[in-house]
Amino acid sequence: MADAPHPASRAPKPAAPLPWTRRVALALGLHRPELRAWSMYDWAVSAMQTVIMTAVFPIYFISVAGADRPPEQATQALANANTLAAVVIAVLSPILGAMADFRAAKKRFLAVFMLIGVFSTAGMYFIQHGDLLLAATLFVLALAGATGSMTFYESLLPHIADEHEIDRVSTAAYAMGYIGGGVLLALNLAWISNPGLIGLPSGDDLPRAQATLPARLAFVSVGVWWLLFSIPMFRGVPEPARTLESDEQAGESALRVAFARLGETLREMRHYKQAFLAMLAFTIYNDGIQTIIKMATAFGTEIGIARSDLITAILIVQFVGIPCAFLFGSLAGRLGTKRSILLGLAVYTGICIFAYGINSAREFYILAILVGTVQGGTQALSRSLFASMVPKHKSGEFFGFYSVFEKFGGILGPLVFSIAIGQTGSSRGAILWVIAFFVVGGALLTRVNIPEGERMAREADARTRRA
């Protein structure tokens, strides 16, 4: 009789180690095609956020479109345009989000807002000296297009990422945004500083239209970039399956159902207490974050920082933000999502104190480095924290509310900044007011019970049916 095989010979062979590229992709949260495709929209839209919202356009708005106004009046006009765009999106987002959920049309709504933003951004090519009204109008439309499209883009996150990877996926997308926005901003900075690189004339005695041409071509490049790099998301991310609640029928009016769902959600908000509390906390501390993002270059221009230094500082934020956004995803796995966000808010408080006293380009560069360490990670983890606590079948609606709360942050922060400028005559005093947003928002965040919020969201999803 043959000897029985040794037990070890029957043991399963150890799995072959994953290739290093696969391990890196897994660690970064980009390990599936749909996750990589989804993150490319951050890459696409971040060009608008860096060039239009933060770097080149605010300077152009004040020095060219507002050339016949005092700098502080042009700064106020920019703050007011930010406020108007925020109000428009705050009104539309919840209704359109609920309609997108009911019709399974998140990507279609995303495409509409994206195209509004793309054409408005490209239209900035026609802004000349003194065209403040045209500049403000196009900026409102471009900002509404970007922020509106982000509502539907972010509502896709809980459908493509599970609870164990959602933080890494969200922070990875922010890092992709830093890369995409940073690359285009670097190219724009190169040809604005040296127009001859793309065959444009240069010199101090050029006619106005030629002197502004490099910046105006930068605005067109943003529209093209935004459109081109949105394609992977539309091709690679599936539209979530349509689901209905027990009292809904497939053939009903989407608008009627949208208002019915909004009413139900508002009445039942106590059942989603943790998601609501996280959203409220985000609204408050995001006031501070958005004010810093939107008003940084206007602030720098007012205190006398050179245009090239301002754009270089924004570029520093982009490239410092790449590794730091990935780092926050890893940090959340160790400290927890909530603690990691609170750490970012503490750094932001220090940033405001430091910003109050800056006078030189060197100090502005230091400020940019500090902002880059926390900006992307804090916002990305806020997004993934909220996504983990919303019912998937209402993700568009809930992210519509999230957008409303975010836009109230976009309204109140620049509005407070504008009022402070009117009271003090400069932006220095206004920057210290921003600290209150981080302190109050952080205090509310400490009260969020994440496991309880996740449980309530999953129970709500279990009560739906496929259409």
Side-chain angles (χ1 to χ4, degrees):
M1 180 170 153
D3 292 337
H6 192 277
S9 67
R10 297 195 300 267
K13 294 182 179 180
L18 293 173
W20 71 269
T21 51
R22 174 70 176 173
R23 294 198 304 271
V24 170
L26 188 62
L28 298 181
L30 299 172
H31 49 290
R32 294 198 302 274
E34 68 271 21
L35 301 180
R36 294 190 290 273
W38 182 79
S39 72
M40 284 303 296
Y41 192 74
D42 255 300
W43 174 295
V45 76
S46 288
M48 186 275 177
Q49 294 166 345
T50 56
V51 178
I52 305 299
M53 286 176 56
T54 308
V56 180
F57 186 76
I59 299 170
Y60 191 90
F61 187 95
I62 293 169
S63 61
V64 178
D68 56 352
R69 309 285 183 92
E72 62 273 13
Q73 288 187 15
T75 302
Q76 278 190 302
L78 182 63
N80 292 338
N82 274 293
T83 301
L84 179 59
V87 170
V88 171
I89 294 302
V91 171
L92 293 177
S93 290
I95 300 170
L96 297 181
M99 292 176 66
D101 286 334
F102 179 69
R103 288 296 187 197
K106 293 180 176 67
K107 289 169 64 177
R108 276 179 279 171
F109 279 97
L110 196 166
V112 170
F113 276 94
M114 179 204 71
L115 290 173
I116 290 172
V118 165
F119 286 113
S120 300
T121 302
M124 291 175 177
Y125 175 85
F126 299 103
I127 299 171
Q128 299 287 355
H129 278 72
D131 290 338
L132 194 65
L133 180 59
L134 176 62
T137 301
L138 290 174
F139 181 71
V140 167
L141 289 173
L143 187 56
T147 53
S149 70
M150 287 297 289
T151 297
F152 303 102
Y153 164 67
E154 291 176 333
S155 73
L156 295 169
L157 176 58
H159 295 276
I160 63 169
D162 64 38
E163 62 185 32
H164 303 295
E165 62 190 11
I166 197 166
D167 286 332
R168 286 182 292 122
V169 173
S170 186
T171 52
Y174 259 85
M176 292 291 285
Y178 276 124
I179 298 171
V183 167
L184 186 60
L185 180 58
L187 293 172
N188 291 162
L189 177 61
W191 78 56
I192 289 172
S193 301
N194 185 5
L197 289 175
I198 56 173
L200 297 178
S202 59
D204 296 332
D205 57 348
L206 291 174
R208 284 180 173 179
Q210 288 189 355
T212 60
L213 186 57
R216 292 187 290 121
L217 288 176
F219 305 150
V220 175
S221 74
V222 171
V224 174
W225 184 281
W226 188 355
L227 181 63
L228 179 64
F229 288 108
S230 296
I231 294 172
M233 193 280 301
F234 286 107
R235 291 176 59 88
V237 177
E239 179 71 44
R242 188 182 187 190
T243 56
L244 303 177
E245 297 185 355
S246 58
D247 59 344
E248 296 172 351
Q249 301 298 322
E252 290 184 82
S253 163
L255 185 60
R256 191 199 70 78
V257 172
F259 277 106
R261 283 192 175 190
L262 290 174
E264 290 172 2
T265 300
L266 290 172
R267 290 192 299 272
E268 298 172 358
M269 190 60 77
R270 65 183 183 275
H271 297 303
Y272 305 108
K273 177 182 176 181
Q274 304 308 321
F276 176 79
L277 190 58
M279 192 162 53
L280 182 60
F282 173 72
T283 302
I284 296 172
Y285 65 72
N286 190 54
D287 265 310
I289 294 174
Q290 291 301 317
T291 302
I292 289 173
I293 291 172
K294 293 175 181 177
M295 304 308 298
T297 51
F299 169 71
T301 301
E302 183 182 326
I303 65 174
I305 306 299
R307 182 182 306 182
S308 60
D309 289 325
L310 291 173
I311 298 178
T312 301
I314 300 303
L315 197 58
I316 289 172
V317 172
Q318 293 301 113
F319 288 104
V320 169
I322 296 167
C324 289
F326 284 122
L327 179 62
F328 261 81
S330 176
L331 192 64
R334 292 185 170 90
L335 295 182
T337 309
K338 187 163 64 174
R339 289 180 179 175
S340 299
I341 295 172
L342 290 171
L343 176 61
L345 299 183
V347 175
Y348 265 120
T349 300
I351 286 169
C352 292
I353 296 171
F354 178 76
Y356 177 78
I358 66 172
N359 292 291
S360 67
R362 177 177 174 273
E363 291 170 329
F364 205 82
Y365 290 159
I366 294 172
L367 184 69
I369 292 170
L370 293 172
V371 171
T373 61
V374 292
Q375 181 172 285
T378 304
Q379 290 182 295
L381 291 181
S382 299
R383 175 170 69 185
S384 60
L385 174 66
F386 182 72
S388 70
M389 296 188 290
V390 304
K392 291 182 180 180
H393 75 285
K394 286 188 170 185
S395 63
E397 177 186 341
F398 269 76
F399 270 98
F401 277 115
Y402 185 79
S403 182
V404 169
F405 279 71
E406 182 182 13
K407 296 306 158 292
F408 274 114
I411 293 169
L412 187 58
L415 181 59
V416 167
F417 204 84
S418 177
I419 292 171
I421 292 173
Q423 293 293 319
T424 65
S426 79
S427 300
R428 287 192 184 274
I431 202 71
L432 293 180
W433 292 31
V434 176
I435 295 174
F437 295 126
F438 299 130
V439 173
V440 176
L444 284 176
L445 183 63
T446 62
R447 304 186 63 182
V448 176
N449 185 329
I450 299 175
E452 174 67 10
E454 292 173 341
R455 183 180 66 81
M456 295 305 299
R458 301 296 83 80
E459 288 179 358
D461 281 327
R463 296 192 291 270
T464 61
R465 72 182 193 279
R466 288 288 183 96

